[in-house]
Amino acid sequence: MCQNILYFSCKKKKNLPFPPLMASFKTMISILMQFSITAPCLLWRSRTHIFYMFLLLLSLFFLSTSFNQRSPNALALALATRLRFAADYIASFTSVSSSNTCIVSDVRSNCTLSSVTAVERTPGNSLEDGNDVIKDLSSCDIFNGNWVLDDSRPAYIPGSCPYVDDSFNCFKNGRVDFSYVRYRWKPFDCQIPRFNGRKMLEMLRGKRLVFVGDSLNRNMWESLVCSLRESLKDKRRLFEVSSRNEYRTQGFFSLRFQDYQCTIDFIKSPFLVQEWKISDKSEIRRETLRLDMIQGSKYSNADIIVFNTGHWWTHQKTGKGKNYFQEGSHVYDRMEVKEAFTKALKTWAQWVDSNIDRKHTRVFFAGYSSSHFRKGQWDTGGNCHGETEPISNETSLAPYPWMMSILESVISEMKTPVFYLNITKMTAYRKDGHPSIYRPLEIPRTPGMFQDCSHWCLPGVPDFWNELLYAALLISGHDLPNND
């Protein structure tokens, strides 16, 4: 297979200078020799190894299909890097161990998920034991932990899910290491259950789950859709209710899992409150942000809603706050962004308390997802390229975002129970998980290019936000709304 790819590459580009490629091809040949010696005795020890072999072959396919967008030298180097990773990965195994699976349950303090409990799952103590298990649990904070190496396969195969936005598809865009999919979030004091797509689809049977927020929530939505899709026996039974063009024009995307009669939607609402346009005295239209008006309300009857906001409040126009924030017909000459953010969240909280049926709808709020720009921001040369490991020392993490303190204060005063998915700390560790320079192929990779150090590669970090969401639904599964 690899020899065929090498032959095709050389034959396709007859007129290319061959000598500069020799070092890369020589490296690749030596790795193939190492691989042929190492793989046979180790490859078949687990299905995980088979998965990574498939991943390797798929990566070679993506690289070969993108040949025209890459220099031959870069292609050869990428192939060599991926082969070396596969060889090193397989050689690193001497045994395969399995970990206990546990379940979690919350202690409903202020109706948040800042505290949960855990217990081991044994043959006599299964998830179906329900209240008997929950009653015996001890307290545990699932958001306080660290990332540990875990060589089980990711929730879905990199490059396999058609619902991953090209901007998040680092594998397809040529990232040559797979380290970002080899870590798993582990709380310090307990274990959380691994994501089980079929079980979650059963919990969602006949229901509507809606993500409302910015592109980080879209990151999470795509991750969940792909994780659930992976569990389907017939993936043709997943349908688009709305078109991709409808998302581009209206900010709405809906998918339906037909066999489970459930839909999972994403609604773009980066501020949660309404973006607006007004005309000034010279009849020039300009943008404002209505702090007193929620954006859209087509989801108030959903069974589960996951909100978020945050990153758009750090943009230049929002941060300056000049002639931008509006209440009623009044546009403020200037307002500090903290005050505006507080007003917007209180508008959101009042809308939730007034429009959400607490007996029917479960409300979640995903916290601030950390960025990792070095030497600038996204538009001033900030970068995160070359990071391959999480931050290991908690003292090196960025300060807790001011926005989350405001959010926690607003949530604590609400009548509606809001399950707070406090992902800030867990994302603060993962400086290695961003797309960085691995943007869609039509974006040229040049010095000084904009790097994405805010969003996340998929599969990757957001898969574990959904694992926490899954855990939260498990611990309260005994009283999920029933639509039958």
Side-chain angles (χ1 to χ4, degrees), residues 163 207-209 221 225 237-247 250 252-258 261-266:
Y163 301 107
K207 296 179 171 58
R208 183 187 182 200
L209 167 58
W221 172 77
V225 167
R237 303 291 289 167
L238 174 58
F239 299 102
E240 294 184 12
V241 178
S242 61
S243 67
R244 295 175 188 268
N245 184 61
E246 192 172 352
Y247 171 74
Q250 302 180 32
F252 174 74
F253 205 157
S254 179
L255 294 170
R256 183 171 182 82
F257 290 81
Q258 189 65 31
Q261 297 294 297
C262 74
T263 58
I264 301 180
D265 304 342
F266 173 73

Side-chain angles (χ1 to χ4, degrees), residues 275-459:
E275 295 178 88
W276 203 251
K277 286 188 178 181
I278 61 170
S279 298
D280 59 20
K281 294 179 181 179
S282 58
E283 298 300 318
I284 296 176
R285 300 278 286 175
R286 56 189 175 89
E287 295 179 348
T288 63
L289 188 64
R290 286 289 301 268
L291 302 176
D292 58 342
M293 180 184 296
I294 198 76
Q295 179 177 339
S297 58
K298 297 180 179 179
Y299 48 84
S300 59
N301 63 345
D303 300 277
I304 303 167
I305 310 175
V306 182
F307 292 98
N308 94 311
T309 189
H311 278 255
W312 282 49
W313 293 91
T314 66
H315 291 182
Q316 188 177 34
K317 179 168 56 178
T318 316
K320 287 183 175 180
K322 294 180 65 176
N323 299 311
Y324 183 59
F325 298 120
Q326 179 179 353
E327 286 186 291
S329 60
H330 177 67
V331 179
Y332 291 90
D333 293 334
R334 180 167 179 79
M335 179 183 287
E336 293 295 327
V337 66
K338 290 184 180 181
E339 181 182 358
F341 184 73
T342 303
K343 286 178 176 289
L345 278 186
K346 287 185 175 180
T347 296
W348 165 80
Q350 291 167 4
W351 180 87
V352 169
D353 282 342
S354 300
N355 293 275
I356 296 296
D357 181 355
R358 294 189 286 277
K359 295 180 180 179
H360 173 77
T361 301
R362 190 68 46 80
V363 178
F364 291 83
F365 203 109
Y368 187 83
S369 171
S370 300
S371 298
H372 295 91
F373 290 99
R374 300 181 307 240
K375 301 179 181 179
Q377 290 302 309
W378 70 274
D379 57 348
T380 57
N383 70 89
C384 55
H385 176 50
E387 300 288 357
T388 58
E389 294 180 348
I391 294 172
S392 58
N393 190 343
E394 184 175 344
T395 59
S396 300
L397 300 181
Y400 196 60
W402 58 265
M403 285 176 282
M404 294 304 94
S405 299
I406 295 173
L407 170 65
E408 290 160 12
S409 175
V410 170
I411 287 177
S412 68
E413 298 175 358
M414 293 176 65
K415 297 176 184 177
T416 305
V418 175
F419 291 78
Y420 177 35
L421 294 171
N422 190 357
I423 61 173
T424 301
K425 182 178 179 181
M426 67 184 295
T427 56
Y429 285 104
R430 292 303 304 273
K431 60 184 173 67
D432 61 311
H434 301 289
S436 65
I437 66 169
Y438 299 105
R439 313 290 299 280
L441 293 176
E442 61 268 18
I443 300 176
R445 292 181 192 163
T446 57
M449 69 176 290
F450 289 158
Q451 295 193 23
D452 186 352
C453 305
S454 296
H455 300 100
W456 302 95
C457 297
L458 292 179

Side-chain angles (χ1 to χ4, degrees), residues 60-114:
L60 297 179
F61 168 76
F62 274 122
L63 280 169
S64 64
T65 57
S66 62
F67 186 87
N68 290 331
Q69 287 83 23
R70 300 172 184 274
S71 69
N73 198 42
L75 178 63
L77 283 172
L79 288 169
T81 303
R82 294 193 180 198
L83 287 168
R84 179 172 293 282
F85 168 80
D88 291 344
Y89 174 83
I90 294 175
S92 67
F93 282 93
T94 56
S95 64
V96 179
S97 60
S98 61
S99 58
N100 292 329
T101 304
C102 302
I103 66 170
V104 296
S105 177
D106 62 333
V107 176
R108 296 194 176 187
S109 173
N110 296 325
C111 298
T112 71
L113 282 181
S114 60

Side-chain angles (χ1 to χ4, degrees), residues 97 108 183 249 483:
S97 60
R108 296 194 176 187
Y183 289 92
T249 58
N483 292 342

